[in-house]
Amino acid sequence: MKKVLILTAGFGEGHNAAARNLRDALEMVSEDVRVEVLDLFESSYGSFNTLVKNAYLGVVQYAPRVWGGIYSLLDNSTFVENRLTGFSRLKNALGDILHEAQPDCVVSTYPVYAHVIRELYRNYSERPFRFITVVTDSITVNSTWFRAPSDLYCVANEPTAAVLKAGHVPEAQIRTLGFPVSPQFTEPPTTPVNTPVFGEPRRILYIINTGKKKAGKVIDRLLEIPDAHLTITVGRDAELKAKLMERTHEHDDRVRILGWTNQMPQLMLSSHLVIGKAGGALVQEAIAARCPMIINQVIPGQEEGNARLISEHELGAVAERNREVPDLVKEAFAHKARLWQQWRKNLAMISKPDAALRLAELVLTECECSDPTRGKKRLFEPSATHAVPPARAALNGPAESRMLLCDFHIHTNYSDGKLSVPEVVDFYGRLRFDCICITDHLADPRRLIGKLARLSNMTLAGDQLEEYFEVIDRERRRAWKKYNMLVLTGIEFNKDGYTKKSSAHLLGIDLKAPIPPALDLPETIAHIHAQGGLAVASHPHIMKSEWGKNTLHLWENQEKYAPLIDAWEIANRHNIFDCVGMKRLPFLANSDFHKPKHIYSWKTLLYCEKNPEAIKECIRRNEHVSITLYREDNQFTRNAVRPGETGNEADMIRLEPHLQLKAAHR
Ligand code: ZN
Ligand code: ZN
């Protein structure tokens, strides 16, 4: 088993994107590799880091001109080196991790780590692992990236390689592989992109994250272009989404407005043009998708390089102001789309959609070069007492019953949860859960509260349901391979009325396909059962500790629903509903997880075989079902809560995977 440690930092978008994509690619190309992504700025600095990050992001987002100044300062001085003494905690943390983990290869997507590693191994004969830096900047590359040594430097393109050569990095150490975009960019587009002829739609993807105020006007003018079809993404800005929906409602046959989406690769692969800011990841993704780009904002500093990449290589255009965007779009498609065709041709020459896979292959080759004689400890693998059999063995070996730790009520950022689906999988996987079910809210649009909820982006949008199923499907495979954990797809159907007695939340567990949101409860349950899923009443009684509304409809109408419902939550997070026990109804206990600290809550233990059918049958029969209160143990408390520190405890749990968290029952 090869071990790869990827170091990143949440500053800006490029570093994290590169780290995650490389991890996904490594797991795709090899069965024999264990990869961890670590953001030490998050886990070793706590509140201090938040401060640094806010300062950094604040400067980047709100005062681009100031940032430009800082950027050149960084480049010309020994800014990082001088601050290394201040980074002693980071250094100690990284030293501990490297000592324990003994990785074969360490990859850094953030320049500071190279300096820390140089400090760590200054007095040692040799660093016992290969070290690769993935430069996430393009053309305007800060020298911090290469002032400390790495075995190899991977860059996105030739102009960036030239900057490193000019900075005296030996040519043999530079690899021009492309920016590691998601391996999903290698998939064929769902809607192929051809030169649009008269009357055919020009599919334009408009990614709004800045210039929101003027976006409406730009959209109006884009819609004046004949055959322009717009897909607009607004991220988490529910207010903007509502405004734009109203503004464009007359054109809803050619305007689609999305909130937050996981499907960016497919959207780009299927679009003729993308409009957005010159962010590192976005520009590289557009290039990978061969989708010409119109840049509507450039922050001085790193982003200038990205914009130059587009303009100098003629891969699209850079608008001086947002209002010039519609004219640039018109120009692109004028004269039988001559300009657009040229952009596409140029893109085809430099696009490297498989960069992450190539980089993964390189990392695996480098693993072979690391010193094979040193003793290898097993940090990345579960400790002996928690040994998890390899997935394959579990599949082929004799099926046997065992105690399974489960959580069937989990929210992600598809509704009002904090973590994304992949983050939830990593979070629960590292805690060695056996089975989880992701259950984001789906509101009934016929109910007033449902309508409000839809606008506030706190529930799954109807047009995102398919994407939701796809994303969980993908993560299901990864979770099984990496953590031997089952991931089920679920939905929490919110049927909210004006009163608690007319409100109900119903979980559908292990669903195979979307179910329409505007159905009555019995119809919804029938759909769940038709798919082989379980219908579970969530928080069916009065909740004492939550501010949320109570949902008593199912409980108040037990005679009607008890025969239809497979199980009732006897406990939800900190609440316990003894009435469910008194009535001897089939039961389950769940976290109703929205953020990391919710992990400390009631859970279900099942004694059965580890596969979805056996798990569902165990719940239906409600034999060998028990509940447990999952609490942090002392070791965790000792490690995570440091005296005098007011860091966010929850984030610590999420970001310190090297802590051995244990379930109290094991
Ligand atoms: Zn609920
Ligand atoms: Zn819930």
Side-chain angles (χ1 to χ4, degrees), residues 133-135 137 139-143 145-147 152-171 173-175:
T133 289
V134 176
V135 179
D137 290 352
I139 306 184
T140 42
V141 184
N142 194 300
S143 67
W145 281 105
F146 49 85
R147 280 207 305 274
L152 290 173
Y153 299 85
C154 296
V155 297
N157 43 52
E158 288 302 336
T160 310
V163 176
L164 265 67
K165 280 177 215 162
H168 308 293
V169 177
E171 202 166 336
Q173 282 172 258
I174 305 172
R175 296 282 189 283

Side-chain angles (χ1 to χ4, degrees), residues 377-389 432 660 662 666:
K377 271 196 359 188
R378 299 159 36 109
L379 172 96
F380 283 61
E381 292 153 55
S383 62
T385 45
H386 297 293
V388 171
R432 292 187 257 292
Q660 298 286 312
K662 275 175 261 170
R666 290 188 184 190

Side-chain angles (χ1 to χ4, degrees), residues 105 174 176 181 204 238 438 558 588:
C105 183
I174 305 172
T176 309
V181 294
I204 299 165
I438 293 174
Q558 265 174 70
L588 273 187

Side-chain angles (χ1 to χ4, degrees), residues 279 509 544:
I509 291 174
K544 294 188 184 76

Side-chain angles (χ1 to χ4, degrees), residues 38 70 82 94 112 125 181 184 280 331 356 386 516 518 538 574 583 622 642 651:
L38 210 56
I70 295 174
N82 289 343
L94 185 56
V112 171
S125 53
V181 294
Q184 289 172 55
E331 228 176 283
H386 297 293
S538 62
H574 308 301
K583 292 258 179 166
N622 231 244
R642 300 180 181 96
D651 285 344

Side-chain angles (χ1 to χ4, degrees), residues 16 36 78 115 123 131 167 264 310 324 334 502 523 619 627:
N16 274 345
E36 288 292 341
T78 50
H115 298 262
N123 302 322
F131 181 58
M264 206 47 95
I310 294 291
E324 291 167 15
S502 63
E523 289 173 313
I619 295 168
I627 66 172

Side-chain angles (χ1 to χ4, degrees), residues 409 411 416 439 441 492-494 496 504-507 538-539 543 549 551 569 572 592 594:
H409 189 161
H411 297 275
D416 55 349
T439 54
H441 298 287
E492 182 171 19
F493 296 91
N494 291 21
D496 288 322
H505 286 187
L506 177 81
L507 300 175
S538 62
H539 40 80
M543 289 193 280
K549 271 175 15 84
T551 46
E569 277 185 349
N572 176 290
D592 205 344
H594 285 73

